[in-house]
Amino acid sequence: MKPFDYARAASVEEALTAGAGGGRYIAGGTNLIDLMKLQVETPARLVDISRLALDGVEQIADGGVRIGALVPNSDLAAHPLIRAQYPMLSRALLAGASAQLRNKASTAGNLLQRTRCYYFYETAAACNKREPGSGCDAIGGFNRIHAVLGASASCIATHPSDMAVALRALDAVVVTALPEGGERRIALGDLYRLPGDTPEIETNLQPGELITAIELPPPPPGRQLYRKVRDRASYAFALVSVAAAVAVEDGVVTSARLAFGGLAPMPWRCAEAEATLVGKPAGTEAFEAAAEALLRDARGYGHNDFKIVLARRTLIACLRDLTA
């Protein structure tokens, strides 16, 4: 076991001080502790933030919702505001992990969980995300769960979060506390980085920056849906998932939000697919055009070639259900 220091913060300010110089924040610990057991991650200091007052869900002035960083996934999924206004988020949360893990996992921790790529977890394997410059054994290896969009020659891992996919479709904003004081607001799509040549850098957070809340604007028009396709009915990560909100008037699509999981190194939003739908009659032709826009640049790596077909079929089925 690698030794590490432990500090328990009583305030955000204490957490920021303790987290300076390379400390890692821990709340539920449902991912980080596993990584430490395997020595995939060996932080020198853990800063326990689980007792901070960041566990509220409240309506805000513009009609949106502010979600504290430490709200457990199970509590957020069951909250009346979320179930009534953002049902895709509730469904995405309930599709993730197991009931026991949802009881423990925090909102911010869910956003920052790391890939479940087999080679990332196997310390004897080459993995640029774990050890920059070592190579990527997933390329040319067993890559059934890996990315077909947004990957690079350095990394083809996928982001594992269900919740983040729904939040991307809902235009969520991440609120953080900065080590030097003050706060920052980051659109969820700008929180994550594509792997490029530096897959070990997964987010645009500064060292020591602490997520304190997630804010959602008022719910989008139309009907919402979250659908997850996986190998078994529970406790499995998505092969393909779709978070969608679509509004239809007089048979014509007037608004569309589409985000995807299981396909890319980050929750994937496709503005081109959304634009393809808006203003078109809701039907097979428009739905197939949206799928074509989504997957135009998709690339399989052998074992995951099926994801391209599966994503097309899943998106079209979701659009049919939302516009029926």
Side-chain angles (χ1 to χ4, degrees):
M1 180 178 176
K2 302 289 185 182
F4 59 90
D5 294 331
Y6 171 85
R8 179 181 294 170
S11 66
V12 169
E13 292 72 24
E14 280 189 18
L16 292 171
T17 299
R24 293 293 305 277
Y25 300 120
I26 186 168
T30 58
N31 185 209
L32 180 57
I33 295 300
D34 286 344
L35 293 170
M36 291 176 65
K37 287 177 180 177
L38 296 171
Q39 296 192 9
V40 173
E41 292 202 34
T42 55
R45 170 179 291 183
L46 292 184
V47 182
D48 186 345
I49 60 170
S50 63
R51 289 165 176 77
L52 302 187
L54 300 174
D55 57 353
V57 179
E58 59 183 353
Q59 195 107 42
I60 53 181
D62 67 355
V65 171
R66 182 181 175 94
I67 303 163
L70 298 181
V71 177
N73 287 178
S74 54
D75 289 3
L76 185 59
H79 196 281
L81 276 174
I82 302 303
R83 293 181 63 187
Q85 297 186 41
Y86 309 96
M88 75 162 71
L89 176 55
S90 180
R91 292 168 187 163
L93 286 159
L94 292 174
S98 66
Q100 294 90 339
L101 286 170
R102 292 194 296 269
N103 288 341
K104 190 70 173 174
S106 67
T107 297
N110 187 301
L111 291 180
L112 298 179
Q113 63 182 300
R114 306 199 70 187
T115 183
R116 287 344 190 255
C117 171
Y118 326 116
Y119 303 99
F120 174 70
Y121 272 74
E122 175 50 72
T123 55
C127 173
N128 289 316
K129 187 179 288 293
R130 177 173 30 80
E131 186 179 346
S134 64
C136 176
D137 277 349
I139 299 175
F142 183 64
N143 47 47
R144 183 172 180 272
I145 66 170
H146 289 73
V148 296
L149 291 168
S152 73
S154 297
C155 181
I156 60 172
T158 55
H159 193 272
S161 174
D162 289 288
M163 183 189 77
V165 178
L167 290 177
R168 185 82 196 270
L170 293 168
D171 289 333
V173 172
V174 177
V175 183
T176 71
L178 296 167
E180 64 272 21
E183 70 173 30
R184 186 158 71 119
R185 300 173 62 82
I186 311 167
L188 186 72
D190 295 330
L191 174 67
Y192 300 108
R193 293 168 54 109
L194 291 176
D197 296 327
T198 55
E200 73 279 10
I201 306 174
E202 298 177 348
T203 75
N204 287 309
L205 293 175
Q206 301 173 15
E209 191 170 4
L210 175 65
I211 296 177
T212 56
I214 289 87
E215 291 188 357
L216 298 177
R223 300 169 61 190
Q224 298 179 27
L225 172 151
Y226 183 80
R227 180 165 297 169
K228 180 177 182 178
V229 182
R230 46 187 162 172
D231 285 324
R232 57 181 185 268
S234 65
Y235 201 53
F237 293 94
L239 295 171
V240 174
S241 66
V242 180
V246 178
V248 178
E249 293 182 13
D250 299 323
V252 175
V253 177
T254 58
S255 173
R257 307 266 193 93
L258 302 172
F260 303 87
L263 299 179
M266 61 190 289
W268 196 257
R269 183 86 178 262
C270 187
E272 185 180 352
E274 295 171 358
T276 298
L277 287 169
V278 175
K280 304 296 193 305
T284 300
E285 183 178 349
F287 302 161
E288 290 181 347
E292 175 63 28
L294 167 67
L295 298 166
R296 185 171 293 120
D297 297 324
R299 175 192 172 186
Y301 292 85
H303 298 100
N304 68 345
D305 292 351
F306 75 96
K307 281 193 176 189
I308 298 173
V309 177
L310 182 61
R312 177 184 299 275
R313 292 176 176 173
T314 304
L315 173 57
I316 290 172
C318 290
L319 293 172
R320 284 174 177 160
D321 288 350
L322 283 169
T323 58

